[in-house]
Amino acid sequence: MSVQLMPPFNLTSSTPATFILAGIPGMEKSHIWISIPFCSMYLAALLGNGALLFVVSTERSLHQPMYLLLSMLAVTDLMLSTTTVPKMLALFWFSAGEISFGACLTQVFFLHFASSAESMILMAMAFDRFVAICYPLRYAAVLTQSAIAKTGLVILLRSFCIIFPCVFLLKRLPFCGHNVIPHTYCEHMGIARLACADISVNIVYGLAMPVAAAVLDVVLIAVSYILILQALFRLPSRTARCKAFNTCVSHVCVTFLFYIPVFFTVLTHRFGQEIPHHVHILLANLYMLFPPLLNPIVY
């Protein structure tokens, strides 16, 4: 009596046991060279954000709302880069492109969770600057450590509620043996496009919810700075205006560092059909590295 081996795919759901990350299609021979700057940026991001967290945690004078929010940003940056870069380097160095279905979904969750959380942290930091400049006498009463802790909890809950449905939307899809992802990491639409079923729900939800949340955050940041500028123009001296605005410069830079690559990536995917696929992937990888690398330097 012969025993048949189980196929690598679940016959009921056609869910692959593993996915294969293909890296950067068309640039396979350059993977080793590409990995050198990526690895250097990742190590610098680990060092910079780790040092920032160490300084804030050990220096009691920095246990203030602004620096606690900055610590949240550093943790999120570490999550954003560590979710993707180690696996990407393993792919480049050892051709270790295989990733289990569960690990791929985990990567999707933490990648999008970190992006959503970072967007809301930047909004909270804008509110911090708004209160500090427009209502300086009420700053200590409004932005207590308890308020910052509650803000952190809201950030976690909102990011979780936005991203967690994506995992279920992917788990319900049949893949019919398609398991090669032309990318260096797993992301929602990259997996959904491999499915042999209607993915319109994935497309609508995957675009509408994160974009709506990001647009809301951007609008609230913009409103905060409009009110800040109005308050600055009411200050009697130019020196006072410059001094007050200088406290916002770092946050403005970090906000641009985060949102410009996000919206540029969205626009190139939507309107840049003539842009080669490997350019899209390189830009997506740089988005995982630039904010975590530069944010500690800016601050």
Side-chain angles (χ1 to χ4, degrees), residues 183-290:
H183 211 304
T184 56
Y185 57 82
C186 300
E187 51 93 20
H188 178 221
M189 288 311 303
I191 301 174
R193 289 192 187 98
L194 297 178
C196 51
D198 181 21
I199 62 168
S200 55
V201 176
N202 294 72
I203 293 172
V204 171
Y205 186 87
L207 185 65
M209 285 301 292
V211 169
V215 168
L216 175 63
D217 293 343
V218 169
V219 168
L220 292 174
I221 290 171
V223 169
S224 296
Y225 274 101
I226 289 170
L227 296 173
I228 286 170
L229 288 173
Q230 288 177 347
L232 289 178
F233 287 130
R234 288 197 295 266
L235 291 176
S237 70
R238 183 176 178 179
T239 305
R241 286 196 292 269
C242 290
K243 186 177 179 181
F245 186 72
N246 283 341
T247 65
C248 301
V249 171
S250 296
H251 177 257
V252 171
C253 292
V254 166
T255 301
F256 279 119
L257 282 173
F258 178 76
Y259 284 112
I260 287 177
V262 169
F263 288 114
F264 183 75
T265 301
V266 170
L267 289 173
T268 53
H269 273 288
R270 178 66 182 85
F271 302 107
Q273 285 80 9
E274 295 181 2
I275 298 175
H277 185 58
H278 68 268
V279 175
H280 285 291
I281 295 176
L282 282 171
L283 289 173
N285 284 311
L286 289 174
Y287 165 65
M288 297 297 118
L289 285 163
F290 267 9

Side-chain angles (χ1 to χ4, degrees), residues 41-196:
M41 285 189 284
Y42 177 59
L43 292 175
L46 289 180
L47 180 63
N49 287 286
L52 192 151
L53 288 170
F54 176 77
V55 170
V56 173
S57 63
T58 54
E59 185 61 51
R60 291 189 62 83
S61 64
L62 297 181
H63 293 181
Q64 303 295 325
M66 178 181 175
Y67 298 105
L68 294 176
L69 289 169
L70 186 56
S71 297
M72 291 184 196
L73 187 68
V75 170
T76 308
D77 280 337
L78 288 174
M79 183 188 299
L80 184 66
S81 56
T82 302
T83 297
T84 56
V85 177
K87 180 61 182 176
M88 177 179 67
L89 293 177
L91 167 64
F92 287 167
W93 291 340
F94 311 113
S95 300
E98 190 173 281
I99 184 170
S100 71
F101 184 69
C104 201
L105 292 185
T106 302
Q107 195 176 56
V108 168
F109 175 79
F110 281 106
L111 168 65
H112 295 298
F113 178 90
S115 297
S116 175
E118 183 147 347
S119 179
M120 198 170 180
I121 290 168
L122 291 172
M123 183 189 70
M125 294 173 82
F127 179 74
D128 169 81
R129 293 298 83 208
F130 162 72
V131 176
I133 292 173
C134 298
Y135 302 99
L137 298 179
R138 298 175 59 187
Y139 182 79
V142 173
L143 288 165
T144 61
Q145 289 196 357
S146 172
I148 297 299
K150 290 174 183 176
T151 300
L153 183 60
V154 170
I155 290 169
L156 290 175
L157 287 174
R158 192 192 79 160
S159 301
F160 181 86
C161 291
I162 289 173
I163 303 307
F164 198 63
C166 292
V167 175
F168 284 102
L169 289 174
L170 290 173
K171 283 180 72 70
R172 71 182 179 88
L173 293 174
F175 292 91
C176 307
H178 304 144
N179 71 331
V180 178
I181 302 173
H183 211 304
T184 56
Y185 57 82
C186 300
E187 51 93 20
H188 178 221
M189 288 311 303
I191 301 174
R193 289 192 187 98
L194 297 178
C196 51

